Amino acid sequence: MKLFMIILAAGNSSRFGYNKLFFRIGQKAMYERTIERMRAISFSGCETKIYMVSQYKELLERIKNDAEGIYNPYPQYGISYSIKLAIDEIKEKMKEEDIVMFSVCDQPYMRTDSLFRLIEGFITSHNGIGCPGNGRMLGNPVLFRKKYLEELYALEGDCGGKCVVRKHLEDVWMCEVSEKELEDLDMAPLVIVRGGGDLASGTIYHLKKEGYRVLVLETEAPACIRRHVAFCECIYEGKTIVEGMEAVRVQSEEEMQEAWKMEKIPVCVDAQGKWIETLFPQIVVDGILAKRNLGTTLDMAPLTIGLGPGFEAGVDVTAVIETMRGDSLGKIYYEGRALPNTGVPGVICGYSKERVIHAPADGVICYEKVVGEPVRKEEIIAYIDEVPVRATMDGFLRGAIRPGYVVNKGLKIIDIDPRREEVKYCWQISDKAHCIAESVMKVIKEWEEQICTSGM
């Protein structure tokens, strides 16, 4: 008996943003993992043969030692054309007892042992069709006996093997697998951002506007001064809106999926970045702004980006973005580090250190003023327990750490803006955050372009 394994890999990955077949999980590209799973399948008395149908000649060249390539010059004709090309290749070699399996190339969670169970169970069954499922849905790959070859060959357009499966459900043998294993990568690229403070929120905002799926990882108690323009605020409130864009707190992958479906940004508590290991993001951005690296590594994703000091480009992350105000703000480093933290705020209208107030004592903070209100120098604007916090200059309260927050002496707690006529800045993402975000997007777009042109 022969088992013909057909990998259908001729799509354009239009929703993914770039050729997802080259998307790396760990050290291996998606197409390599698919072939590796198939090469691991072995049954006594069963000869296996692997084919790949693709429009990408470079891909077919790469796999020639592991699989036989079938070039598809007309991917615009739909998946049915790839199926026809495959059947043309095998129909003269296929005997009555042989089996053909059609597989997609973008199932990162499919397990080798599940694939083995699927094929083994189908071989011993009396059914004509076999596929994995979870009782609620059927998935890929799909196995067919020879009697279905003509029906498969007659398919048109984007109608694939599932169209035949739906017509013959009474002849389907199903192998139970987890719902996760049935997922593919046919969706917008996933970017995980560590940190949801005001500067990171500028990047999150731009990523979402560009159509990326974004997941934000935060601590249990974020300490953000400009919390009205920070997505991390939803950790406390359950949801928050920044310039018309809504973020919601989530606790499970199901809730993340629901948030993406509703065009919202999911934010969850995960200071260690454990979700990165589970979700295989294409991109990780460290926007914690801790002035040091709190655990982001180069191998967390195919592309990793660090914001500010604490990262070395090419060692800790792929690229580093400068976050210090001045001529170099937004500079992209592919080697070396960002400028060291001076602890001195950028100058606005001639004011620098005076703009930021640090906690004069340990304790719980409460306010006499709210964000957006004018303040006068030496005016009491808050208390930490019984210790007064006085304004360091005239202006308006641009940002203040959350009321009731337990602060430590020396922690940044308040931001005063001298531009009293520009109160609107309280509710807007800062020019600094936008500048950093634009550099992040430039790194991502250049990386995607490189993938599209080089296949790496």
Side-chain angles (χ1 to χ4, degrees):
M1 185 184 75
K2 292 182 180 179
L3 171 61
F4 298 92
M5 299 179 173
I6 313 295
I7 304 171
L8 302 173
N12 293 317
S13 304
S14 56
R15 280 184 285 178
F16 196 70
Y18 59 86
N19 194 339
K20 61 187 172 184
L21 304 180
F22 295 109
F23 167 52
R24 291 189 175 274
I25 299 176
Q27 300 303 311
K28 295 180 180 178
M30 192 70 259
Y31 78 88
E32 292 175 306
R33 286 183 169 268
T34 302
I35 291 176
E36 186 178 76
R37 278 199 302 263
M38 292 185 175
R39 286 176 58 84
I41 300 300
S42 176
F43 298 100
S44 177
C46 179
E47 179 186 347
T48 59
K49 181 75 173 178
I50 304 173
Y51 297 83
M52 177 178 284
V53 186
S54 182
Q55 64 170 302
Y56 305 105
K57 292 182 178 179
E58 181 183 357
L59 177 58
L60 296 179
E61 178 66 24
R62 290 192 185 194
I63 58 95
K64 66 181 181 181
N65 293 328
D66 300 305
E68 187 170 325
I70 302 173
Y71 178 58
N72 181 351
Y74 303 112
Q76 66 271 26
Y77 291 175
I79 193 171
S80 64
Y81 191 70
S82 289
I83 292 173
K84 284 181 172 67
L85 291 173
I87 293 176
D88 282 338
E89 182 68 31
I90 68 170
K91 63 184 177 182
E92 298 301 324
K93 307 171 187 176
M94 194 171 181
K95 297 180 181 179
E96 201 62 40
E97 69 273 16
D98 295 340
I99 297 168
V100 59
M101 180 180 80
F102 289 99
S103 172
V104 293
C105 196
D106 58 351
Q107 287 181 292
Y109 311 109
M110 178 59 68
R111 296 166 54 92
T112 302
D113 63 329
S114 295
L115 184 60
F116 184 91
R117 287 190 299 107
L118 167 66
I119 298 170
E120 182 182 47
F122 179 69
I123 289 174
T124 57
S125 76
H126 297 290
N127 299 77
I129 301 173
C131 58
N134 63 357
R136 190 175 61 84
M137 61 184 292
L138 299 176
N140 286 297
V142 184
L143 297 107
F144 297 94
R145 300 198 188 271
K146 188 177 181 181
K147 66 179 182 179
Y148 286 110
L149 230 56
E150 288 187 13
E151 194 169 343
L152 288 164
Y153 198 85
L155 294 171
E156 297 291 340
D158 270 324
C159 190
K162 289 287 185 64
C163 296
V164 177
V165 172
R166 285 192 287 268
K167 289 182 181 179
H168 304 281
L169 291 175
E170 77 289 345
D171 198 21
V172 174
W173 183 86
M174 189 191 78
C175 176
E176 189 77 26
V177 300
S178 68
E179 186 167 342
K180 184 75 175 176
E181 290 182 83
L182 301 178
E183 291 183 11
D184 61 27
L185 290 178
D186 195 16
M187 56 186 70
L190 171 60
V191 184
I192 292 184
V193 181
R194 304 189 70 188
D198 62 302
L199 289 183
S201 291
T203 292
I204 295 163
Y205 181 87
H206 279 255
L207 285 164
K208 179 67 174 63
K209 280 192 70 174
E210 287 290 321
Y212 293 87
R213 287 181 302 143
V214 186
L215 171 65
V216 182
L217 309 183
E218 254 300 346
T219 62
E220 185 68 58
C224 183
I225 296 177
R226 296 204 64 221
R227 53 194 169 84
H228 295 288
V229 288
F231 291 112
C232 67
E233 188 68 2
C234 71
I235 293 295
Y236 298 105
E237 301 293 338
K239 65 179 181 179
T240 192
I241 297 176
V242 175
E243 294 199 21
M245 194 173 287
E246 185 174 353
V248 292
R249 178 170 178 169
V250 299
Q251 295 181 316
S252 66
E253 189 172 350
E254 290 73 22
E255 291 179 354
M256 293 175 198
Q257 296 289 352
E258 182 62 24
W260 289 322
K261 182 179 178 181
M262 301 301 292
E263 292 295 321
K264 299 176 183 179
I265 300 168
V267 182
C268 70
V269 174
D270 180 14
Q272 288 73 43
K274 294 179 180 178
W275 276 112
I276 296 172
E277 299 176 6
T278 303
L279 296 176
F280 302 124
Q282 288 89 321
I283 303 161
V284 168
V285 178
D286 190 317
I288 298 173
L289 279 297
K291 316 305 179 189
R292 59 191 179 95
N293 188 346
L294 296 181
T296 295
T297 58
L298 190 63
D299 61 357
M300 279 183 165
L303 176 64
T304 51
I305 303 171
L307 307 187
F311 307 98
E312 183 176 353
V315 178
D316 302 311
V317 291
T318 311
V320 176
I321 309 299
E322 183 61 68
T323 58
M324 182 177 291
R325 279 193 182 273
D327 294 338
S328 61
L329 176 64
K331 179 180 177 180
I332 299 168
Y333 300 86
Y334 288 105
E335 291 182 355
R337 300 173 178 271
L339 296 172
N341 179 39
T342 64
V344 179
V347 177
I348 296 180
C349 296
Y351 296 93
S352 177
K353 290 183 179 180
E354 304 94 332
R355 295 197 302 105
V356 176
I357 298 176
H358 297 78
D362 296 341
V364 177
I365 191 166
C366 61
Y367 293 95
E368 297 293 307
K369 294 281 188 176
V370 298
V371 171
E373 285 190 324
V375 297
R376 305 289 296 183
K377 186 175 181 178
E378 295 301 325
E379 182 181 8
I380 295 176
I381 53 178
Y383 286 92
I384 299 176
D385 290 342
E386 304 300 322
V387 179
V389 179
R390 298 180 183 275
T392 49
M393 57 181 286
D394 293 349
F396 66 85
L397 200 60
R398 184 169 180 245
I401 202 166
R402 187 176 179 81
Y405 198 89
V406 179
V407 303
N408 296 320
K409 185 177 180 179
L411 180 69
K412 290 182 182 179
I413 55 173
I414 291 172
D415 176 9
I416 298 176
D417 196 316
R419 300 167 294 183
R420 298 185 68 168
E421 72 284 359
E422 298 290 357
V423 178
K424 64 182 181 182
Y425 290 143
C426 291
W427 326 112
Q428 294 179 353
I429 295 170
S430 68
D431 59 342
K432 179 179 179 179
H434 281 302
C435 181
I436 293 168
E438 287 166 3
S439 295
V440 171
M441 297 308 303
K442 182 177 180 181
V443 171
I444 292 173
K445 295 300 183 184
E446 288 178 351
W447 175 73
E448 291 179 341
E449 181 65 26
Q450 182 182 10
I451 290 175
C452 289
T453 56
S454 71
M456 295 301 291

